[in-house]
Amino acid sequence: MTTENNWTAVCGQNDLISDSGICALVNDTQVALFYLKKEQAVYAIANHDPFSQANVLSRGLIGSKGDDLFVASPVYKQHFCLKTGRCLDDENTRIQAWPARIENGRVEVLI
């Protein structure tokens, strides 16, 4: 893992699973990375589910609700926006979301 201008290189694009999530440890923080191949986009949110208190969000299912792309927690099924970390089912709950990008075949997170 390397850091340049606060962007942290996490893994190679080929390490990602299309339309699914993986977990990476970035600066001692578990980050759930989701790769949407059709959009050539990657999203980074906290892996910790505040409802179940388990680090499981990288194993959730990706979907959409209106314009919001979300991951559904595999435990109690709350939906978290991949762009903002906002819980779509509870306006008082939000998880951390970080900018993420693919640069020259490397996945980078601004954390």
Side-chain angles (χ1 to χ4, degrees):
M1 186 166 33
T2 59
T3 302
E4 181 179 323
N5 298 329
N6 299 324
W7 285 94
T8 300
V10 177
C11 62
Q13 183 176 357
N14 292 336
D15 296 324
L16 300 175
I17 301 167
S18 298
D19 304 315
S20 186
I22 64 168
C23 182
L25 189 61
V26 182
N27 299 336
D28 295 326
T29 300
Q30 286 194 27
V31 176
L33 294 169
F34 296 92
Y35 175 50
L36 280 70
K37 186 174 183 176
K38 184 177 176 182
E39 299 176 9
Q40 286 294 300
V42 64
Y43 298 94
I45 61 172
N47 193 40
H48 186 79
D49 176 358
F51 293 95
S52 67
Q53 298 298 315
N55 295 316
V56 295
L57 291 180
S58 63
R59 297 180 183 202
L61 296 175
I62 298 171
S64 64
K65 194 178 217 178
D67 292 334
D68 291 320
L69 292 171
F70 67 79
V71 60
S73 171
V75 181
Y76 296 127
K77 314 303 182 209
Q78 281 84 10
H79 302 94
F80 296 93
C81 178
L82 291 177
K83 294 178 182 174
T84 66
R86 179 176 54 93
C87 180
L88 303 179
D89 307 301
D90 180 346
E91 65 184 34
N92 295 316
T93 303
R94 177 181 296 268
I95 60 173
Q96 184 73 50
W98 299 275
R101 67 184 184 188
I102 299 171
E103 284 286 316
N104 299 319
R106 301 291 302 165
V107 177
E108 298 177 338
V109 177
L110 187 60
I111 189 170

